[in-house]
Amino acid sequence: MRAYLISLIALLTGVFALNSLVDVSGLGTFDEIYGLALGQGPRDVLVWEESFDQRAWVKAMVEKSASCDVLILGSSTVGGFSSEMFPGRRVLNGWLSNATVEDFEAIAYLLESHPSCRPKTVVFGVDHWLLNPKFNERRWLSLDHEVQRYGGKSRVQLAATSFVKAWEQLKERLNFTTTRATILFLASHSGPHERPRLVHDALPAYCREQKTSPVLRFADGHFSYCPQFEPTHVDARTAAVNYVPQDSHGIRGWERVDPERVARLSAVSRRLEALGAKIVYVAPPFHPVTYRDLGRSTSIHRSFDALDALLGKLSAENGATYVNLRNPVAAGCADDEFRDSHHSAPACMAKVANSLLR
């Protein structure tokens, strides 16, 4: 038994060390990304071939921004909004991978603490999973200090959250998905492991050198792909067809809208309104095929109706605006203007931006 325990501990230690060194999930990149974002100029693009901590980027940009007329918050479904789509306005796209209400609370605290960034408009991208009680994303722990400060928590409560954060990171370093991704990464990379970096006025040359699709985040916050990795119309349609059958984002098991999360979203909105911001909630469009399939399920349709009713009520209470573009027809988006089932390509994003401007 003793030999078994020693072998098991040695194995887990090796897996932890390997996953920490390669860090395909970007857990250890917060300080690195924060520093790069602080130094990112208007023509710089932050790049890496693996995931990096998007929350560090947003924190740095909110803290350093001299001004921001329009602040966009939400998941990657609103991550394609670029400053060119909002002419005459200074845009900061603060999208986050798998954004949660906790992320919005953290950013509200950052805005309250850094008066240089006072957006006139805050656009919340409200995906259905944001208010699904079964959606328990924990990436917000990168901003756990800000979340606790937003709620006025004590030092003891801050320490308890730090323990939870450490536990979540330990599980991430040891799970099968991370280990598999690490092995695949090492198998496909024979050279040195590059770190995140800024590309200065040389993005086309950088893209031509890439063999796998890197993460690109521009100075205004929007993301994009190198041209050769842009999803094709066929790729997008395949993803759209599979969205419901594969139960993406737990859509088939979505039973209700979480009233506690709605209340917290409302509270965040009120605090941002107190800073002088106009609040806009937007439901981003689905690919036409996905939207058709969603409508065929009575339970899913009922859940969306409940979500829309609550967002309408929330808007009325907060003096906000709710723009429902879930049906791609509402924004005028065609099926060849999507990257997959729920991510719009730039052409569709521009149409959504026009709807928001109107």
Side-chain angles (χ1 to χ4, degrees), residues 20 32 55 58 66 87 138 150 159 217 236 249 263 267 284 323 327 332-333 347 350:
S20 298
E32 191 173 7
R55 285 151 181 83
V58 172
R138 307 287 283 177
Y150 167 91
R217 187 146 194 173
H249 298 114
V323 183
N327 183 347
C333 295

Side-chain angles (χ1 to χ4, degrees), residues 65-206:
S65 291
S67 60
C68 45
D69 296 333
V70 179
L71 174 63
I72 297 166
L73 300 177
S75 74
S76 55
T77 59
V78 295
F81 284 129
S82 65
S83 55
E84 289 78 10
M85 298 175 186
F86 297 85
R89 294 169 173 82
R90 292 177 291 269
V91 175
L92 177 59
N93 192 330
W95 72 272
L96 296 166
S97 49
N98 289 335
T100 61
V101 175
E102 288 87 352
D103 288 311
F104 298 160
E105 293 172 340
I107 293 170
Y109 172 79
L110 287 171
L111 290 169
E112 291 171 339
S113 305
H114 297 84
S116 59
C117 183
R118 281 290 183 267
K120 298 174 183 176
T121 303
V122 175
V123 177
F124 285 102
V126 184
D127 303 298
H128 65 86
W129 59 85
L130 176 72
L131 303 175
N132 182 347
K134 293 184 179 180
F135 179 68
N136 292 309
E137 176 59 51
R138 307 287 283 177
R139 297 189 199 189
W140 64 267
L141 285 167
S142 289
L143 298 174
D144 64 311
H145 176 81
E146 288 76 15
V147 172
Q148 302 307 320
R149 288 302 186 193
Y150 167 91
K153 298 299 178 63
S154 67
R155 290 187 177 181
V156 173
Q157 290 169 312
L158 286 171
T161 305
S162 297
F163 174 79
V164 173
K165 179 180 179 180
W167 174 246
E168 290 294 329
Q169 290 183 344
L170 176 64
K171 291 193 294 183
E172 176 73 15
R173 295 295 192 203
L174 293 176
N175 70 36
F176 172 78
T177 302
T178 302
T179 305
R180 180 177 181 274
T182 296
I183 293 172
L184 291 174
F185 176 86
L186 293 174
S188 61
H189 291 75
S190 56
H193 185 201
E194 292 187 354
R195 300 303 303 164
R197 60 190 174 100
L198 295 175
V199 174
H200 308 272
D201 297 323
L203 187 60
Y206 167 82

Side-chain angles (χ1 to χ4, degrees), residues 22 94 117-118 149 154-155 163-164 167 218 256 265 278 294 329 332 337 341 356-357:
V22 178
C117 183
R118 281 290 183 267
R149 288 302 186 193
S154 67
R155 290 187 177 181
F163 174 79
V164 173
W167 174 246
F218 290 75
R256 65 185 181 91
L265 179 60
K278 169 69 176 177
L294 292 172
V329 174
E337 295 177 331
S341 55
L356 296 179
L357 290 171

Side-chain angles (χ1 to χ4, degrees), residues 234-279:
V234 174
D235 295 334
R237 189 173 183 84
T238 299
V241 169
N242 291 330
Y243 188 84
V244 174
Q246 291 181 351
D247 195 25
S248 301
H249 298 114
I251 187 66
R252 291 190 300 183
W254 180 33
E255 298 173 350
R256 65 185 181 91
V257 180
D258 188 344
E260 190 264 342
R261 295 189 188 188
V262 173
R264 290 171 67 181
L265 179 60
S266 178
V268 170
S269 300
R270 289 195 300 270
R271 284 175 70 158
L272 293 178
E273 286 177 333
L275 299 179
K278 169 69 176 177
I279 304 300

